[in-house]
Amino acid sequence: MEAVERRRVTVRGVVQGVGFRPYVYTRATGLGLAGHVTNTPEGVVAEVEGAPAAVSAFCERLAADAPPLAVVDAVDHHEVPASGGAGFTIIASRSGGPARTLVSPDVATCADCLAELADPSDRRHRHPFITCTHCGPRFTIVTGLPYDRAHTTMARFPLCPDCAREYADPADRRFHAQPVACPACGPRLCLLAGTPPRETAGADPVAEARRMLADGAILAVKGLGGYHLACDAGNPAAVAELRRRKARGNKPFALMAREDADIEALVHLGPAERDLLTGPVRPIVLLRRRPGAAGELVADAVAPGSPDLGVMLPYTPVHHLLLGLPGDPPGPRLLVMTSGNLSGEPIVTDDTEALDRLARLADAWLTHDRPIHVPCDDSVVRVCDGEVLTLRRSRGHAPLPLDLPLPVPASLAAGSDLKNAFCLGEGRKAWLSAHIGDMDDLATQYAFERAEQQLESITGVTPGLLAVDRHPGYRSGRLVRGRAAGRPVAGVQHHHAHIASAMAEHGEGGARKVIGFAFDGTGYGDDGAVWGGEVLIADYAGYTRFAHLAYVPLPGGDAAVHRPYRMALSHLRAAGLDWDLDLPCTAACPPEELRLLRRQLERNLHCVPTSSMGRLFDAVSSLAGVCQHAGYEAQAAIELEGAAVTASATEARADDGAGYAFALRPAETGGHEAEAPLTADPAPVLAAVVRDVRAGIAPPVVAARFHAAVADLVAALAVLARERHGLDTVALTGGVFANTLLSCACARLLRERGFTVLRHHRVPPNDGGLALGQLMVAARAPRHPQQGEGHVPGGTRQSA
């Protein structure tokens, strides 16, 4: 009698909703094995029985040959008693027990579905919700585990006979594809317009929507994780009206193009950028503009003053239909596609809420009746030195976990108040949430709570340890503390968390400390000052402050952030330089405000000290005449970078003494000089900027020389830190390092000097990645007494 073996196989990872069970079925039947496969909260569980060689072959390459969207973390198998029987079946999913499987992110429409979408002979021709096992919504429609249709927002749409047949056929591409549907049984798209909004007449709501966009209308378009506001990017009046309605200031809008060829004349597109645009994630990719390239395709008001255009390609069938299939009547080639919300509020997901909250913003609503269970904004990335730099980690990435270099207890890290994303962790896994937003708005705080509950439910993490920023005024911290219910709450210093985030992303185990440069706009310092130009010697357990930017007064908190000329004048005064009227910052300040600001600085009224590198960028931007009023976060710094990229390398590093340099000196403390933190004094840099401005040197050259000076400072401080502490690994983190010109220059100088450089790729360097560092620090740092609800430094909460 031939030997028979039976094995129980458990596969953990992203293995539900990605075609893993049909893959197992096909693999098992191809090897002549009997048994079954099912979804469980633990993962995909199969039992296979047959000849020992066939069973071994089944197990050996199960992970290596997995479907393209699967992420296999582990395959465990052990022998169980043979039970006989013939055939291989897919059995109903099992529920109950702790969730340990991983849900797939939402994925852009695949090539096979796009071909069917455009094929008049296919029964899903022009179906706005075409999807299969390899694409479509996942994370945003999941209501529970295991991942079955009953646990998604598709549960309300019973399958028609044709779809049911595909769903049950292991040989079909739509076998157990939970969002599967067709025009006969799926969600329904409609266009609402008028007052009150009513469904428009006509058979094709997309065709009417495209016509309205071509006529200059602003539409609310329901996407995977929320509503977008869309208009024709080439229509100056429509773009200006959208900017006015949304109260967006000059913050750049994102664009959606039909294909990458439509933007080649506008931006520089390298292979890495093209891969990001056309891949399955389809994020917003920040692309450098070509000089003078705009024309009729993009109105000036789309991204005024920005060196980049943020572009994405269609990632849902509705987007493809809206931009037009081959043979469709012409419509806008490029669409503005920005989050459907008022400034400062979370993205709208609920249909009834959309008709209310977007009523003042949209002329019509292109919507549908498939609910969105969890909000998920578009991810934002750029390319830095040929590698991906993530600026917002959201759609297409959440809720994929990150591997941790060290285990952590079940924990929740609250993140920051701006660009909030929280983090759950347990063992060697961490789950960064999708982008939540700025916590000023009550609706955003509710969104935080809902998203946290949903992420707990699909990860199975029940946090026993909580981590928050030490800033006593952060709403994220207050929210988590208020729900602690006796659980310990660890306060984590802002810049320590930034550095820990970079370390964790790179798998640093903490055996050796790193030299961490944390440059941003605001972080609550140990001395109550606003830190932001920090060099820390750090591991997960603690840090010492090796160096920092010299303190200057931050006059009026957020007032100085929104009016960069105030920071320029404060820096000039601290450097002993006069406020001469020929300087752009002095000319930009109204006379009465100038008089009051002088008195405020003389008397030190509402002037918390700051070491912020972000605020120094603001000051130089104003002093060089680049930006005097900031309508959105980091506008002055972004425009300074934009100016700098147009200058030549020769101009940036002149050999005639025209370069800029910081002065390094020990801090004025009573301690030993070897232990005191160094201070980087920008006074010589500011004096050189004033000299160049008065000499008529162009703003781009001034901007480039300033960037070079900051990079030189980073290299010099790293060398000094290595001499004192024997360390050779440098972490570059904080929102300032979203500046690719600066990041590339720093990395090059550091590598030339023999340093290993840690820069962010998968986790944002800004506050969107802060929670990962909080998680790691809270697990290992000694517990700090909680900060009281006392003084909030300068009232400022802005980041760089």
Side-chain angles (χ1 to χ4, degrees):
M1 182 176 177
E2 187 177 357
V4 172
E5 181 180 333
R6 188 177 185 93
R7 284 194 169 268
R8 180 182 174 88
V9 184
T10 302
V11 188
R12 297 179 178 86
V14 182
V15 291
Q16 296 186 11
V18 294
F20 207 90
R21 285 181 297 173
Y23 158 67
V24 168
Y25 176 94
T26 303
R27 187 174 182 83
T29 54
L31 290 166
L33 298 174
H36 58 79
V37 63
T38 186
N39 276 343
T40 75
E42 191 178 15
V44 168
V45 177
E47 289 192 10
V48 290
E49 182 173 327
V55 171
S56 294
F58 174 87
C59 295
E60 280 173 5
R61 292 192 56 80
L62 195 63
D65 298 331
L69 296 184
V71 180
V72 177
D73 284 345
V75 178
D76 300 322
H77 52 88
H78 61 273
E79 193 167 350
V80 294
S83 62
F88 194 89
T89 60
I90 296 176
I91 62 177
S93 299
R94 297 204 317 264
S95 57
R100 280 294 178 268
T101 192
L102 306 177
V103 175
S104 167
D106 298 337
V107 183
T109 310
C110 70
D112 288 336
C113 284
L114 286 178
E116 294 171 348
L117 184 73
D119 182 0
S121 66
D122 193 276
R123 72 187 191 90
R124 290 188 176 88
H125 178 230
R126 305 188 72 89
H127 177 50
F129 306 98
I130 191 168
T131 183
C132 71
T133 304
H134 305 305
C135 66
R138 299 289 193 277
F139 174 55
T140 52
I141 64 171
V142 171
T143 59
L145 290 178
Y147 177 67
D148 284 323
R149 194 178 181 93
H151 297 142
T152 73
T153 60
M154 288 296 294
R156 64 169 65 184
F157 301 102
L159 293 169
C160 69
D162 288 334
C163 286
R165 189 163 45 253
E166 293 170 336
Y167 184 85
D169 181 0
D172 196 279
R173 194 174 92 250
R174 293 185 170 89
F175 178 65
H176 279 257
Q178 308 309 338
V180 67
C182 74
C185 64
R188 181 174 169 273
L189 193 69
C190 68
L191 182 67
L192 305 176
T195 307
R198 292 186 178 87
E199 188 168 351
T200 58
D204 188 350
V206 176
E208 177 61 16
R210 192 164 63 251
R211 185 198 63 76
M212 291 183 70
L213 289 168
D215 287 345
I218 297 168
L219 266 61
V221 180
K222 189 175 182 181
L224 288 179
Y227 277 82
H228 285 107
L229 292 169
C231 72
D232 181 356
N235 185 326
V239 176
E241 179 62 14
L242 175 56
R243 191 170 289 285
R244 184 193 69 78
R245 292 184 190 180
K246 199 172 178 185
R248 192 174 170 94
N250 283 330
K251 188 174 182 179
F253 285 129
L255 299 175
M256 182 173 280
R258 181 186 297 104
E259 55 187 2
D260 50 353
D262 288 336
I263 56 169
E264 287 179 333
L266 299 173
V267 294
H268 295 283
L269 264 183
E273 288 88 352
R274 205 178 295 272
D275 287 346
L276 287 167
L277 282 170
T278 58
V281 173
R282 300 288 176 103
I284 297 170
V285 184
L286 298 188
L287 303 166
R288 288 284 190 222
R289 294 185 194 237
R290 293 185 182 274
E296 298 179 357
L297 283 179
V298 178
D300 291 339
V302 166
S306 173
D308 306 310
L309 287 176
V311 183
M312 58 182 160
L313 299 189
Y315 56 85
T316 73
V318 172
H319 294 152
H320 286 279
L321 293 169
L322 197 58
L323 284 162
L325 299 180
D328 281 349
R333 286 183 61 189
L334 295 175
L335 295 175
V336 166
M337 198 69 82
T338 188
S339 298
N341 55 8
L342 285 166
S343 275
E345 293 185 359
I347 190 169
V348 174
T349 58
D350 179 77
D351 301 327
T352 302
E353 193 176 4
L355 294 176
D356 177 29
R357 285 174 58 193
L358 304 182
R360 290 180 292 149
L361 306 181
D363 300 311
W365 289 256
L366 186 62
T367 185
H368 57 78
D369 54 351
R370 182 181 68 203
I372 298 170
H373 185 63
V374 62
C376 200
D377 255 308
D378 296 311
S379 292
V380 181
V381 303
R382 69 189 311 170
V383 173
C384 182
D385 279 341
E387 296 182 293
V388 176
L389 169 60
T390 299
L391 300 178
R392 185 166 76 194
R393 185 181 185 274
S394 202
R395 178 186 52 76
H397 295 287
L400 287 179
L402 298 160
D403 292 327
L404 298 178
L406 296 169
V408 299
S411 309
L412 165 66
S416 187
D417 262 21
L418 296 182
K419 297 183 174 67
N420 180 267
F422 62 86
C423 189
L424 288 173
E426 186 172 12
R428 288 181 176 265
K429 295 290 184 187
W431 289 266
L432 268 174
S433 74
H435 172 75
I436 303 296
D438 297 348
M439 298 291 283
D440 280 339
D441 193 89
L442 191 59
T444 311
Q445 295 170 41
Y446 289 147
F448 179 106
E449 292 180 310
R450 292 194 304 271
E452 195 252 319
Q453 291 166 6
Q454 193 258 2
L455 196 55
E456 280 192 27
S457 73
I458 65 172
T459 61
V461 176
T462 303
L465 172 64
L466 308 177
V468 299
D469 192 279
R470 286 191 200 166
H471 194 303
Y474 270 11
R475 291 168 175 83
S476 55
R478 290 182 182 178
L479 184 67
V480 168
R481 285 191 191 98
R483 299 167 54 208
R487 292 175 289 181
V489 182
V492 180
Q493 201 280 326
H494 191 91
H495 302 95
H496 186 200
H498 271 310
I499 294 165
S501 177
M503 291 174 63
E505 179 181 347
H506 284 272
E508 291 287 323
R512 295 195 71 202
K513 297 178 187 291
V514 304
I515 307 165
F517 288 82
F519 289 174
D520 62 4
T522 297
Y524 188 79
D526 294 341
D527 54 3
V530 175
W531 288 8
E534 310 310 309
V535 187
L536 307 181
I537 306 300
D539 55 17
Y540 299 121
Y543 62 91
T544 56
R545 198 181 192 195
F546 176 76
H548 62 87
L549 204 60
Y551 285 132
V552 298
L554 181 68
D558 281 347
V561 177
H562 298 307
R563 286 171 271 176
Y565 60 78
R566 293 177 70 94
M567 278 312 307
L569 293 167
S570 179
H571 264 286
L572 288 177
R573 187 177 185 277
L577 299 169
D578 292 334
W579 292 1
D580 294 322
L581 293 177
D582 63 336
L583 297 176
C585 54
T586 313
C589 186
E592 181 60 19
E593 184 179 353
L594 191 67
R595 184 182 66 81
L596 293 173
L597 181 61
R598 190 185 302 275
R599 183 176 301 174
Q600 182 179 10
L601 291 169
E602 288 171 351
R603 299 181 180 182
N604 199 31
L605 296 173
H606 305 294
C607 287
V608 63
T610 182
S611 60
S612 168
M613 182 62 78
R615 300 291 79 82
L616 179 60
F617 266 79
D618 291 351
V620 174
S621 186
S622 169
L623 186 54
V626 173
C627 179
Q628 306 297 348
H629 293 85
Y632 62 91
E633 183 191 356
Q635 178 179 347
I638 288 170
E639 293 187 3
L640 189 70
E641 180 191 5
V645 297
T646 65
S648 70
T650 302
E651 292 172 318
R653 291 186 174 275
D655 294 326
D656 58 359
Y660 305 162
F662 289 79
L664 292 177
R665 54 181 171 80
E668 297 177 1
T669 69
H672 297 293
E673 184 173 326
E675 298 174 356
L678 295 170
T679 299
D681 187 354
V685 172
L686 295 162
V689 172
V690 168
R691 178 201 66 208
D692 280 357
V693 168
R694 286 190 171 137
I697 301 296
V701 178
V702 174
R705 290 176 178 174
F706 174 69
H707 278 75
V710 176
D712 287 340
L713 172 68
V714 168
L717 286 172
V719 169
L720 290 172
R722 179 168 59 190
E723 291 173 355
R724 186 177 296 183
H725 296 281
L727 303 173
D728 57 9
T729 299
V730 173
L732 303 179
T733 186
V736 168
F737 285 107
N739 179 326
T740 55
L741 181 66
L742 178 66
S743 178
C744 294
C746 289
R748 178 178 55 78
L749 293 178
L750 290 166
R751 287 170 180 150
E752 287 173 357
R753 288 156 178 78
F755 289 98
T756 297
V757 182
L758 309 181
R759 289 189 291 175
H760 290 276
H761 300 298
R762 295 175 298 150
V763 176
N766 55 45
D767 283 2
L770 196 73
L772 177 63
Q774 292 173 343
L775 189 84
M776 295 299 294
V777 171
R780 276 157 186 84
R783 297 289 174 261
H784 296 283
Q786 287 304 290
Q787 301 288 337
E789 303 300 324
H791 174 60
V792 178
T796 185
R797 298 169 55 253
Q798 296 286 332
S799 295

